[in-house]
Amino acid sequence: MGLRIYNTLTRQKEPFDPLTPGQVKMYVCGPTVYDLCHIGNARSVVVFDVVARYLRQRGYQVTYVRNFTDVDDKIINRANRMKMTPDALANRYIDEFYTDMDTLNVERATLEPRATDHIDQMCRFIERLIEKNLAYEVDGDVYFAVENFRDYGKLSGRRLDDMAAGARVDVDKRKRNPFDFSLWKSAKPGEPSWESPWGRGRPGWHIECSVMSSELLGETFDIHGGGKDLIFPHHENEIAQSEGATGRTFARYWMHNGYVNINREKMSKSLGNFTFTRDLLARYHPETLRLFLLSNQYRSPIDFSDQNLAQAEIGLEKVYALLKRIDDVLRPVPRPEKISTGEYFGRFCKAMDDDFNTARGIGILFDGVRHANKWMDNARESLSPETVSLLQTVRNDMLKMGEILGILTILPALFFEQKRSRSLAAVEIDADRIDQLVRQRTKARAEKDWDAADRIRDQLDEMGVTVEDRPGGAVWKVSRNKIDTEQA
RNA sequence: GGCGGCAUAGCCAAGUGGUAAGGCAGCGGUCUGCAAAACCGCUAUUCUCCGGUUCGAAUCCGGAUGCCGCCUCCA
């Protein structure tokens, strides 16, 4: 069976069948650049990064568009407060966005348009809507007339009549229907503005996505994504604008990721219960964050907590430890020219085919970890050619899964080096001193002076260091308890 | 008020008709001078509750309870 995607529009999983065979055109709503992004924003970006990676892995040629909303009330307000121009503020937060997303190993989209680069096209689009009687101008403002678009509400599953009853909507007397939304806003003093057929002003929020997507992907394209909170009104309004203007299907598959919750509540800027991605990156390995964000199916909510992050980090270390073990064991063995994928990658792809089920896929990754460890435990002294081949294949499988999930991208040895230096920085331990103690203990053990050896181990333990006596010699690491205590 | 989602072990989490993946934590074992790491075994006769459909349901239908989301900017 092929790839299936849950389509918000039909509320069911559908076989994925792109408009043009072999090609996927996908548009995802990007950030409004007025502040640093929090972990909830990052989830959406990471989820669709994985979607694009998997589609490419599956052989599709993917054109992925992710926009920057760089003109908006929040940007203007913040810029005023910070005594900056809105443009400078937007530029700054685009840079900050890239800083965080690059650290998170998010690939750049194929095209990353900015709203303010498409003002002329927006004006032309709005004119089309006015011609079709789907929009009207009042005193330099232009509104979309929701009542004139028959399908209004089809994505979010609501009807105008139902909504009107309990909704808190502004009572703008100039609107024909309270749910009519701005396509163009006339300029107020001190705001950025552009020339238009209706006088100086700036675009409404929803129009940019309709315009830039059709401009860059065509009037009809395959996948449109974003967070669940964009279903209404944003995506509903995009459909109204685009299908109203063109008379054609806008996006064919609508994908929406669930929220990051904190204490079972949605994380959001307005609730003030958010954590910046950057602050988390200071405390956890970037791949820990990715693993955490991908450990639930993308449509489900995911609960943010230090316990869950810590669990993800332990899991990530387990995989890297296994990869390092394989590397060590396989070092003397010549690497084959080409390694075909094996059982685990096959199962992983099956999981991903089912609406990008990364949670199931990660389970399969761990399954492979356990089995590979077992093979090596059983092998003891010498490796059979069969075991070598199994290990080569499973390592290859894991690295391929890692490519799609955006993890396991560095050499295991380097990963543990990074981890060690982060840990040492966190607990302020002197590595030389530890090395010295470990050498003393090794000497004591060689002399079978177990009392002395254990005394040194206790001393290290006190310092928050755990020693492991491995076949190749003793190694040490900073114990988790110590780190957690220091950070609490 | 309208619309929608979720409820699986101590915790996180897969599983959409065929008899409960995976991870974390815990306990027992193998290994080890003792540990650590790794592996093995144990830990949900059962999937919030009550009915119904079916040879068979965590999975479908009806109802109850609880939690959450959208309807206003929000990923």
Side-chain angles (χ1 to χ4, degrees):
Chain A
M1 200 152 66
L3 174 62
R4 292 162 61 82
I5 296 180
Y6 181 89
N7 190 347
T8 306
L9 196 57
T10 58
R11 291 178 183 73
Q12 57 187 359
K13 287 179 193 169
E14 298 174 353
F16 179 64
D17 188 22
L19 200 58
T20 307
Q23 288 185 26
V24 178
K25 299 196 184 302
M26 146 167 148
Y27 187 97
V28 175
C29 291
T32 301
V33 279
Y34 72 106
D35 199 357
L36 293 176
C37 72
H38 60 65
I39 188 69
N41 304 124
R43 182 182 193 191
S44 181
V45 178
V46 168
V47 160
F48 288 102
D49 180 54
V50 170
V51 167
R53 286 170 188 246
Y54 185 64
L55 290 168
R56 292 197 174 106
Q57 151 64 36
R58 245 183 160 289
Y60 291 110
Q61 187 196 77
V62 179
T63 309
Y64 175 16
V65 179
R66 186 184 55 223
N67 66 301
F68 285 111
T69 299
D70 62 350
V71 55
D72 152 279
D73 287 348
K74 292 192 293 293
I75 295 174
I76 295 166
N77 292 338
R78 189 118 204 258
N80 286 341
R81 250 181 293 134
M82 294 177 73
K83 309 256 187 286
M84 293 170 85
T85 65
D87 193 49
L89 184 89
N91 281 331
R92 177 180 156 190
Y93 283 110
I94 287 174
D95 287 346
E96 303 281 18
F97 176 82
Y98 280 134
T99 301
D100 289 341
M101 293 306 129
D102 288 352
T103 307
L104 269 179
N105 191 26
V106 170
E107 290 179 349
R108 298 292 166 106
T110 318
L111 298 159
E112 304 187 330
R114 297 173 58 153
T116 54
D117 289 335
H118 298 262
I119 303 289
D120 287 347
Q121 293 95 316
M122 292 188 211
C123 289
R124 268 181 267 135
F125 202 101
I126 294 168
E127 284 183 306
R128 274 171 88 182
L129 290 172
I130 293 174
E131 277 165 31
K132 292 207 166 192
N133 196 32
L134 286 166
Y136 53 95
E137 190 238 325
V138 190
D139 309 331
D141 289 326
V142 184
Y143 294 103
F144 188 93
V146 290
E147 285 172 13
N148 293 359
F149 180 69
R150 201 164 250 300
D151 282 339
Y152 194 79
K154 72 174 176 180
L155 181 71
S156 54
R158 43 192 99 205
R159 296 178 316 165
L160 284 169
D161 305 343
D162 293 340
M163 287 195 297
R168 295 166 286 164
V169 285
D170 56 351
V171 276
D172 188 338
K173 285 267 164 44
R174 303 175 310 164
K175 287 185 183 179
R176 296 179 189 167
N177 180 298
F179 288 94
D180 287 354
F181 54 90
S182 289
L183 296 168
W184 188 262
K185 301 178 177 190
S186 59
K188 295 189 199 118
E191 288 185 355
S193 63
W194 290 262
E195 281 303 335
S196 83
W198 318 281
R200 289 197 74 86
R202 61 190 169 95
W205 175 33
H206 315 294
I207 194 69
E208 66 178 85
C209 292
S210 282
V211 167
M212 294 191 289
S213 62
S214 66
E215 198 79 14
L216 300 168
L217 297 173
E219 291 179 344
T220 301
F221 56 94
D222 297 301
I223 296 174
H224 193 131
K228 270 188 159 64
D229 43 7
L230 297 184
I231 295 173
F232 191 90
H234 186 53
H235 289 162
E236 195 70 72
N237 292 351
E238 282 184 46
I239 291 177
Q241 293 164 345
S242 292
E243 299 196 350
T246 69
R248 298 203 184 133
T249 301
F250 180 43
R252 304 170 64 238
Y253 299 85
W254 287 88
M255 293 179 63
H256 294 96
N257 64 276
Y259 306 127
V260 173
N261 286 171
I262 183 159
N263 296 325
R264 321 187 99 238
E265 213 176 35
K266 177 187 175 184
M267 179 185 286
S268 74
K269 286 271 165 68
S270 41
L271 288 172
N273 59 355
F274 58 89
T275 303
F276 285 129
T277 306
R278 180 154 310 175
D279 295 335
L280 287 173
L281 286 169
R283 296 172 49 207
Y284 296 96
H285 194 281
E287 293 191 359
T288 295
L289 252 58
R290 282 190 78 112
L291 188 62
F292 163 71
L293 291 172
L294 297 170
S295 63
N296 283 25
Q297 213 279 344
Y298 76 88
R299 282 184 286 120
S300 308
I302 186 167
D303 218 54
F304 170 87
S305 69
D306 275 316
Q307 195 205 41
N308 290 348
L309 263 309
Q311 197 174 303
E313 185 131 299
I314 289 169
L316 182 68
E317 284 167 20
K318 189 182 171 113
V319 183
Y320 268 115
L322 177 270
L323 288 172
K324 180 159 191 315
R325 191 176 175 197
I326 295 182
D327 284 353
D328 291 344
V329 162
L330 251 35
R331 188 156 298 133
V333 182
R335 260 196 114 151
E337 291 283 307
K338 192 166 183 275
I339 309 171
S340 52
T341 56
E343 176 201 338
Y344 295 100
F345 190 65
R347 286 168 60 201
F348 177 85
C349 289
K350 259 191 140 160
M352 293 297 284
D353 271 353
D354 184 12
D355 197 29
F356 308 97
N357 196 331
T358 52
R360 201 153 89 214
I362 289 166
I364 292 158
L365 175 68
F366 282 109
D367 223 20
V369 170
R370 199 180 65 247
H371 284 116
N373 267 315
K374 182 155 58 170
W375 298 330
M376 287 185 282
D377 276 4
N378 293 341
R380 290 279 164 217
E381 295 302 313
S382 65
L383 289 174
S384 68
E386 290 75 30
T387 306
V388 167
S389 166
L390 278 171
L391 289 173
Q392 283 167 338
T393 304
V394 79
R395 173 169 68 180
N396 188 241
D397 278 6
M398 284 177 186
L399 294 178
K400 291 203 72 164
M401 294 181 215
E403 273 173 40
I404 290 161
L405 300 173
I407 59 172
L408 311 179
T409 57
I410 56 179
L411 287 174
L414 183 61
F415 173 83
F416 287 108
E417 234 170 77
Q418 286 178 357
K419 181 181 145 46
R420 174 177 288 189
S421 46
R422 287 166 77 100
S423 305
L424 287 175
V427 298
E428 294 174 348
I429 299 178
D430 177 35
D432 290 341
R433 172 78 183 128
I434 294 165
D435 282 333
Q436 193 188 349
L437 286 167
V438 169
R439 274 197 302 274
Q440 282 176 24
R441 177 168 170 276
T442 303
K443 186 159 170 285
R445 290 185 71 232
E447 292 162 0
K448 299 211 188 296
D449 183 355
W450 308 125
D451 283 349
D454 289 350
R455 226 176 301 124
I456 296 171
R457 188 167 61 197
D458 290 346
Q459 192 183 343
L460 287 165
D461 192 55
E462 197 96 340
M463 295 165 71
V465 172
T466 309
V467 209
E468 293 178 25
D469 296 320
R470 298 206 192 156
V475 297
W476 59 269
K477 64 182 183 187
V478 181
S479 36
R480 176 150 301 279
N481 289 346
K482 184 69 179 174
I483 300 172
D484 292 346
T485 312
E486 296 292 326
Q487 286 180 343

